[in-house]
Amino acid sequence: IIVVDYLKENIKNSIGEKFYDLPITYVEQGLKKGTFGALSCTAHLFAKNERFLSLNGDDLHAKEELEKFIKHPRAMGLQKIDMPGYKEAVLDENSNIVDLVAQSEISSRLVPTGAYVIDSNIFKHSGIQISNNEYGLPQTILDQKNKYPIKGIITKEWLPINSFEDMEKAEEYFNKFDLN
């Protein structure tokens, strides 16, 4: 399932209808923006209590690290990195995420990576609004932590693509593989 909005026709034409023989379902985002807004428009595609992996489309993750996520009912990727403006996760003694706070000089800087194992119970929530008409997925997941604890999975291979420099890093990474 790929959620599209801006430049949706370019994305559909570039990716096509299948990925390695798996059919792709495209869903238009709609009015509710942000990461939870994007996910919430897919609710009709999931069965009751169905678990799934949700990834931000502009990030790269290592398959081996993502495989760690599916061992837990709910999980959120974290990476130790300084990213001004991003929230950082606070973990309890069992590595469950208990809060998202502003980064500080003395903090662990465990930033959410945009990789989540969650289930369709997330759609019972209307979403946590983080700015004007934007709803955050990590904040919404965390708001359900008392009923659905979320394991923090620390990763090392996350590559967020937020700039042209990041795009160049991603291109260098993919040039190592024969993708034909």
Side-chain angles (χ1 to χ4, degrees), residues 48-77:
K48 183 178 182 179
N49 298 318
E50 184 175 357
R51 289 177 62 234
F52 56 92
L53 175 66
S54 175
L55 301 170
N56 290 351
D58 56 354
D59 291 347
L60 298 176
H61 299 273
K63 177 185 173 188
E64 298 77 22
E65 290 187 338
L66 293 176
E67 289 172 342
K68 297 175 187 176
F69 287 61
I70 61 175
K71 296 176 182 174
H72 306 281
R74 282 197 175 189
M76 182 184 298

Side-chain angles (χ1 to χ4, degrees), residues 120-140:
S120 56
N121 290 306
I122 193 70
F123 302 120
K124 293 177 181 178
H125 201 296
S126 60
I128 298 294
Q129 191 167 0
I130 57 174
S131 67
N132 191 22
N133 202 32
E134 187 168 327
Y135 295 79
L137 183 55
Q139 295 85 352
T140 303

Side-chain angles (χ1 to χ4, degrees), residues 60 83 159-171:
L60 298 176
M83 294 191 73
L159 177 59
I161 303 175
N162 297 318
S163 67
F164 288 116
E165 182 180 282
D166 294 340
M167 291 275 296
E168 290 171 356
K169 288 179 189 175
E171 189 173 326

Side-chain angles (χ1 to χ4, degrees), residues 85-133:
Y86 277 55
K87 297 286 187 180
E88 73 172 87
V90 177
L91 304 178
D92 68 11
E93 63 278 355
N94 298 313
S95 296
N96 289 320
I97 300 172
V98 295
D99 203 0
L100 293 173
V101 299
Q103 291 185 30
S104 69
E105 292 299 316
I106 57 170
S107 65
S108 64
R109 292 190 172 84
L110 289 173
V111 174
T113 65
Y116 314 94
V117 166
I118 46 182
D119 56 70
S120 56
N121 290 306
I122 193 70
F123 302 120
K124 293 177 181 178
H125 201 296
S126 60
I128 298 294
Q129 191 167 0
I130 57 174
S131 67
N132 191 22
N133 202 32

Side-chain angles (χ1 to χ4, degrees), residues 15-24 174 177-180:
I15 297 174
E17 298 301 317
K18 288 192 173 192
F19 181 77
Y20 291 101
D21 294 328
L22 296 172
I24 296 174
F174 279 114
F177 303 99
D178 179 17
L179 300 175
N180 294 322

Side-chain angles (χ1 to χ4, degrees), residues 23-36:
I24 296 174
T25 301
Y26 292 97
V27 178
E28 292 193 30
Q29 183 163 356
L31 297 175
K32 201 181 240 187
K33 301 300 179 194
T35 50
F36 182 73

